[in-house]
């Protein structure tokens, strides 16, 4: 039973560039959430996708955007990268209509901005 | 909006000693509460969850937590620490977006160190 998989594991970019991170949910899950974890901090909610639509967004600028595909996989795009975007980006999956089910996390993508 | 406070950013115990990691939450509705563990260079692994029912919740690796509504707390304990327990621990509360949808609000984390 494959868990949540994320790619790439590490990425180095420079300021002003754009980046795309990818996530495949756990088998059977249909909802994907993205979180940003800065060094020494707890994860912060970016947004959640369900049925290929953004269901909720956290306090992140429009430079952060996403997409969900018919197979439930998801992408996180960040434009005009800033030094402050350096963080571990975590993807979590869950069942969309079962509010008591926990979210399952991938190992994350470590993004470094130079 | 919900919030989580973890008391103590760093806790150090001896191997075989009791582990106690503190978590207090703020929620306007009955909360769903979670503890996750993060090992170096890894994502988050669910330790245990509280949704409804029994207030003492048992999780993996010998951990348990007790939901105390009157104290708005959900502290994590383990009777006897093992070296393999060294990791970062996060307490989280569900914030419901719409029916059936939730997002997690995390505390800042507690780094647990085990001394031999």
């Amino acid at each position: 039973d494959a868990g949540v998989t994320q790619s790439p594991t590490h990425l180095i970019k420079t300021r002003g560039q754009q980046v795309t991170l990818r996530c495949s949910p756990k088998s059977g899950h249909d909802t994907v959430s993205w979180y940003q974890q800065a060094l020494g901090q707890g994860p912060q909610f970016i947004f959640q996708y369900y049925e290929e639509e953004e269901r909720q967004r956290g306090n992140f600028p429009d430079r952060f955007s996403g997409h969900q595909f018919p197979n439930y996989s998801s992408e996180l795009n960040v434009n005009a990268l800033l030094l402050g975007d350096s963080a571990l980006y975590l993807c979590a999956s869950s069942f969309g209509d079962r509010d008591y089910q926990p979210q399952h996390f991938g190992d994350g993508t470590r993004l470094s901005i130079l | 909006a919900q919030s989580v406070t973890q008391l103590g950013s760093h806790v150090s115990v001896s191997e075989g000693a009791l582990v106690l990691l503190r978590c207090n939450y703020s929620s306007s509705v009955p909360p769903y509460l979670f503890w996750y563990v993060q090992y170096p260079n890894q994502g988050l692994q669910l330790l245990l969850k509280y949704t409804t029912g029994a207030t003492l919740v048992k999780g993996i690796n010998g951990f348990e937590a007790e939901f105390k509504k009157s104290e708005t707390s959900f502290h994590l304990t383990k009777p006897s620490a093992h070296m393999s327990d060294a990791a970062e621990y996060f307490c989280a509360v569900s914030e419901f977006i719409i029916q059936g949808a939730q997002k997690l609000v995390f505390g800042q984390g507690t780094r647990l160190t085990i001394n031999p």
Side-chain angles (χ1 to χ4, degrees), chain A residues 33 35 37 40-43 45 48 55-56 88 90 95-107 110, chain B residues 32 34 36 38 41-44 46 49 51 90 94 96-104 106-109:
Chain A
S33 302
Y35 294 82
Q37 185 180 16
Q41 310 252 339
F45 176 77
Q48 184 178 94
R55 187 148 68 169
Q56 181 71 13
L88 180 67
L90 295 165
F95 292 107
D97 61 350
R98 304 184 191 184
D99 57 11
Y100 54 86
Q101 293 298 318
Q103 296 183 7
H104 294 253
F105 285 80
D107 284 341
R110 174 76 61 188
Chain B
Y32 291 171
F34 305 85
Y36 284 86
Q38 186 175 36
N41 300 314
Q42 293 188 23
L44 303 178
L46 180 68
K49 66 182 182 191
T51 53
F90 292 95
S94 277
F96 289 94
I97 304 170
I98 59 175
Q99 181 61 36
Q102 58 169 304
K103 69 177 187 183
L104 294 174
F106 287 89
Q108 294 284 18

Side-chain angles (χ1 to χ4, degrees), chain A:
Chain A
D1 179 19
V4 179
T5 58
Q6 293 186 241
S7 63
T9 54
H10 293 87
L11 207 49
I12 300 175
K13 292 286 187 178
T14 57
R15 285 178 295 173
Q17 285 189 310
Q18 177 265 344
V19 68
T20 297
L21 311 181
R22 296 177 175 81
C23 172
S24 292
K26 180 179 169 67
S27 178
H29 287 183
D30 57 7
T31 299
V32 172
S33 302
W34 288 92
Y35 294 82
Q36 180 195 65
Q37 185 180 16
L39 197 62
Q41 310 252 339
Q44 298 287 319
F45 176 77
I46 303 175
F47 41 52
Q48 184 178 94
Y49 277 85
Y50 174 66
E51 294 187 337
E52 302 181 49
E53 292 191 359
E54 183 182 291
R55 187 148 68 169
Q56 181 71 13
R57 168 179 285 266
N59 189 25
F60 280 81
D62 292 344
R63 297 186 299 108
F64 289 77
S65 63
H67 188 77
Q68 186 178 35
F69 299 93
N71 67 353
Y72 308 122
S73 66
S74 176
E75 289 182 349
L76 164 65
N77 300 292
V78 187
N79 295 320
L81 287 166
L82 304 174
L83 292 177
D85 295 331
S86 294
L88 180 67
Y89 288 85
L90 295 165
C91 171
S93 71
S94 57
F95 292 107
D97 61 350
R98 304 184 191 184
D99 57 11
Y100 54 86
Q101 293 298 318
Q103 296 183 7
H104 294 253
F105 285 80
D107 284 341
T109 294
R110 174 76 61 188
L111 176 62
S112 299
I113 311 301
L114 302 180

Side-chain angles (χ1 to χ4, degrees), chain B:
Chain B
Q2 276 83 342
S3 65
V4 174
T5 301
Q6 292 184 238
L7 300 177
S9 59
H10 190 192
V11 170
S12 181
V13 302
S14 298
E15 190 173 18
L18 170 72
V19 175
L20 170 60
L21 305 183
R22 301 178 186 274
C23 172
N24 288 90
Y25 68 90
S26 170
S27 177
S28 58
V29 297
Y32 291 171
L33 295 160
F34 305 85
W35 275 99
Y36 284 86
V37 61
Q38 186 175 36
Y39 297 101
N41 300 314
Q42 293 188 23
L44 303 178
Q45 179 182 6
L46 180 68
L47 277 177
L48 48 79
K49 66 182 182 191
Y50 169 79
T51 53
T52 59
T55 56
L56 182 61
V57 179
K58 294 187 184 299
I60 62 172
N61 302 338
F63 284 94
E64 62 182 35
E66 186 171 11
F67 170 61
K68 291 188 177 180
K69 183 179 179 180
S70 61
E71 299 178 7
T72 62
S73 69
F74 190 57
H75 301 331
L76 181 71
T77 61
K78 182 174 180 177
S80 178
H82 191 273
M83 296 298 291
S84 61
D85 295 327
E88 188 89 18
Y89 291 80
F90 292 95
C91 180
V93 62
S94 277
E95 184 169 309
F96 289 94
I97 304 170
I98 59 175
Q99 181 61 36
Q102 58 169 304
K103 69 177 187 183
L104 294 174
V105 177
F106 287 89
Q108 294 284 18
T110 297
R111 180 170 300 277
L112 177 63
T113 301
I114 312 297
N115 302 312

